Amino acid sequence: MKTFLAALVFVGLAVLLLGVNIFFFRRPFPDGEISTNPEMRKRGIKCAKEEELEMLAARKGKKVCDGNYSDACASCGLYRKD
């Protein structure tokens, strides 16, 4: 029983400490969505769906979006103008 209570206190403390910025300072939760995260876009990281659509478009000889939010990419639905 002592071990269970010690583990419960330890897990509760860990959750509280890991969530300090979210619980107390009301900072937004980090955006993990690849298609909308500007830092991932800047590094050139793409989601699997986007890469698959680009490979299919290249195979069919269609223009492939290059990720710069151009007018050509606006119609394909992969990129959002924020």
Side-chain angles (χ1 to χ4, degrees):
M1 186 66 170
K2 289 181 182 179
T3 305
F4 177 73
L5 289 176
L8 189 63
V9 167
F10 180 74
V11 169
L13 185 63
V15 169
L16 183 66
L17 291 175
L18 288 172
V20 165
N21 283 335
I22 296 169
F23 298 141
F24 299 115
F25 299 118
R26 301 286 185 213
R27 293 184 182 154
F29 195 76
D31 184 16
E33 184 67 32
I34 295 172
S35 62
T36 59
N37 188 318
E39 190 63 31
M40 289 186 182
R41 282 276 161 214
K42 186 170 73 174
R43 294 176 188 209
I45 299 172
K46 300 177 183 179
C47 67
K49 177 183 173 186
E50 187 176 345
E51 286 181 351
E52 184 70 24
L53 289 172
E54 286 180 356
M55 287 190 312
L56 288 173
R59 189 180 309 159
K60 291 181 180 181
K62 294 182 180 178
K63 184 175 181 175
V64 179
C65 296
D66 59 2
N68 64 0
Y69 302 98
S70 66
D71 292 334
C73 290
S75 64
C76 72
L78 292 176
Y79 299 99
R80 297 183 201 172
K81 291 185 178 184
D82 293 340

